[in-house]
Amino acid sequence: MKQNKVVISGGGLVGSLAACYFAKRGWIVEVYEKRPDPRDPDNAGKRNHRSINLAISTRGLSSINRLSPDVEKKVMDIVLPMYGRMIHSLDGSTNAQAYSILGKAINSVDRGILNEILLDQCETFEGTKVFFQHSLEQCDMDAKTATFKNLVTGEEVFTSADLIIGADGAHSPTRKFLQYYTKVNIEQKYIDHGYMELEMKAKDGNFAMDKEHLHIWPRKTFMLIALPNLDKSFTCTLFMPWSKFESIKTEDDLNEFFKEYFPDSIPLFGQESINEFFTNPKGALFYVKCTPHHYKSNAVIVGDAAHCTVPFYAQGMNCGFEDIETLDTLLCEQAAPLIDSKDPVACQNIKTSTLTPEQIEAALIKYTGCRPRDSASMIDLAMYNYIEMRHSVNTFSYKARLWLEGKLHLIMPKVVIPLYTMVSFSKISYTDATIQWKKQTKALQNVVSVFTKLSLATIAVLLVKYSGPRLGLRLPSFAEVARIFRK
């Protein structure tokens, strides 16, 4: 039978993972990436200051494990576990807040090294080719053809496939072409905040701070965060309103800003690193929601091309990797309907490279049936989490809820699950996690409300009982008490 071919526009994290999956399933694979090969010695050590640090958690690791436990081991060898947030207060004190009462961690990972692992892996498969410095110029989704431009020579490269995948980022050319062929509903929104990166170098060969936490300096309307790196530095990202960035015009302004809001960070950074504020680029923050994600059996978009997000739940990459795992599961379901397509061991040797267009389309319809909804929920959660990270983490109500949910989760692990646990340490869909979280919130609010009313009622009874006769007061009747609780 004919061997199917896939053309992937984009060889970043999600594109290279997709290439690995399709090559494993027997497809002929061509990947076209706009940037140079990150493994080329000429590109070694080049830092992308517009790249926000990554944290890989359960969803991302599950996707890599389904591909290969050996690849997962390689990834785990380059991560640094972070067991919670370390909150830095204005007075220099710190407060650790665990991500999980069970001691689970999310993992700081270097984007470049992870990309290199996945590129190396996809090139181990016969029939896989990766072309760097090629940009997508034209895409005919009816004919299933694409034209790429070699950015070095200017030559145009024409190719065809049984399936075209757009993994080409937030400003996806593939998504643009998808709109020519089907009605795509798109919501794109820039938020009023931007970001910039600063580096906190190692001190005397060691980490300048505790390496087992994600560090946050929450300042209500803005924040600074720091994630550890393998070279014992921290990549720090400053998120704040554009007006705040624009108000810092001189070195004196910058120094006063850090003295006022991040005084304990100054000796950790050093003046030279702080002054990178004026040279490092500042990036915009926006999200994109869209549906559908596919066109017939011919094309599909994944990762940021399908759902660019703000970075405040560290789920952008994890969600993109989950796209690929979901897509693979649905294709395996078509190829082997009698096998549990969600079981990575049972599916280990399944080939999807001989699927018919009708079978591919059936899988893509199901993909669009779930991923746009879940990625939209993920984006909403990320927007919510920005408020939590820059403000709520310092409030008594947040700390009380964190404690209460943790205790209830230990007692009733399937009934009460903290939101962070559902998002980062489970594979519950983002949509279902949001629904359960809202139900839990309402139930906890009701419990607290009843407890508060009981407490007030008890105090009132005691006051009336012991001071009532002197003040001319009496205890209320049962009917009067019942009316209070019916309100």
Side-chain angles (χ1 to χ4, degrees), residues 80-360:
L80 291 168
M82 299 179 294
Y83 293 93
R85 299 165 175 163
M86 185 66 74
I87 309 301
H88 292 250
S89 299
L90 269 173
D91 62 6
S93 62
T94 57
N95 169 43
Q97 297 179 355
Y99 283 134
S100 164
I101 199 166
L102 301 176
K104 295 180 180 180
I106 62 174
N107 304 281
S108 178
V109 65
D110 184 288
R111 179 189 301 267
I113 299 175
L114 178 56
N115 201 175
E116 290 177 19
I117 289 173
L118 295 175
L119 286 170
D120 287 342
Q121 180 66 21
C122 76
E123 289 184 337
T124 64
F125 294 97
E126 186 178 351
T128 298
K129 296 179 181 179
V130 183
F131 302 90
F132 293 96
Q133 294 180 281
H134 282 69
S135 65
L136 180 63
E137 300 295 307
Q138 293 292 330
C139 184
D140 186 332
M141 291 185 177
D142 277 327
K144 294 187 277 191
T145 61
T147 302
F148 293 87
K149 182 178 180 180
N150 185 320
L151 300 178
V152 177
T153 66
E155 176 189 3
E156 288 194 341
V157 179
F158 179 84
T159 189
S160 61
D162 297 281
L163 177 64
I164 296 170
I165 297 180
D168 39 11
H171 301 284
S172 169
T174 311
R175 185 177 68 232
K176 179 187 72 174
F177 287 114
L178 181 65
Q179 295 174 71
Y180 297 163
Y181 292 89
T182 188
K183 297 180 179 68
V184 181
N185 292 311
I186 296 181
E187 178 188 348
Q188 176 176 305
K189 182 176 181 179
Y190 283 84
I191 68 172
D192 294 332
H193 293 224
Y195 73 93
M196 71 165 302
E197 179 188 302
L198 296 170
E199 183 182 11
M200 185 181 289
K201 296 180 174 64
K203 298 290 183 184
D204 301 320
N206 290 308
F207 289 95
M209 304 181 292
D210 179 357
K211 67 181 175 68
E212 294 189 339
H213 287 82
L214 186 155
H215 293 258
I216 307 179
W217 289 258
R219 299 298 181 257
K220 293 187 178 180
T221 59
F222 59 94
M223 68 177 180
L224 175 70
I225 69 169
L227 279 74
N229 299 313
L230 290 174
D231 65 0
K232 299 186 178 179
S233 68
F234 281 86
T235 298
C236 307
T237 310
L238 181 60
F239 298 97
M240 60 184 186
W242 284 110
S243 58
K244 200 74 175 176
F245 278 115
E246 292 162 1
S247 69
I248 301 172
K249 301 181 185 299
T250 67
E251 191 172 317
D252 286 341
D253 293 339
L254 180 63
N255 289 336
E256 286 302 314
F257 173 72
F258 268 80
K259 285 177 184 177
E260 181 176 359
Y261 295 109
F262 313 119
D264 64 319
S265 76
I266 295 174
L268 301 176
F269 274 116
Q271 192 63 48
E272 183 180 348
S273 291
I274 291 175
N275 286 345
E276 290 178 356
F277 178 93
F278 295 111
T279 56
N280 289 351
K282 299 171 182 64
L285 294 167
F286 67 99
Y287 66 76
V288 174
K289 301 176 182 178
C290 79
T291 188
H293 284 357
H294 80 286
Y295 174 63
K296 297 183 177 179
S297 67
N298 304 9
V300 64
I301 53 176
V302 295
D304 282 356
H307 46 71
C308 174
T309 184
V310 291
F312 305 117
Y313 228 125
Q315 287 298 303
M317 173 188 63
N318 290 286
C319 184
F321 280 9
E322 191 174 58
D323 287 347
I324 306 306
E325 181 177 6
T326 302
L327 185 56
D328 181 69
T329 299
L330 295 171
L331 291 169
C332 285
E333 184 182 272
Q334 293 294 319
L338 299 181
I339 292 178
D340 181 0
S341 61
K342 293 183 179 180
D343 184 340
V345 176
C347 292
Q348 188 64 29
N349 297 316
I350 290 177
K351 301 300 180 186
T352 61
S353 53
T354 57
L355 290 176
T356 65
E358 291 76 19
Q359 289 173 309
I360 295 171

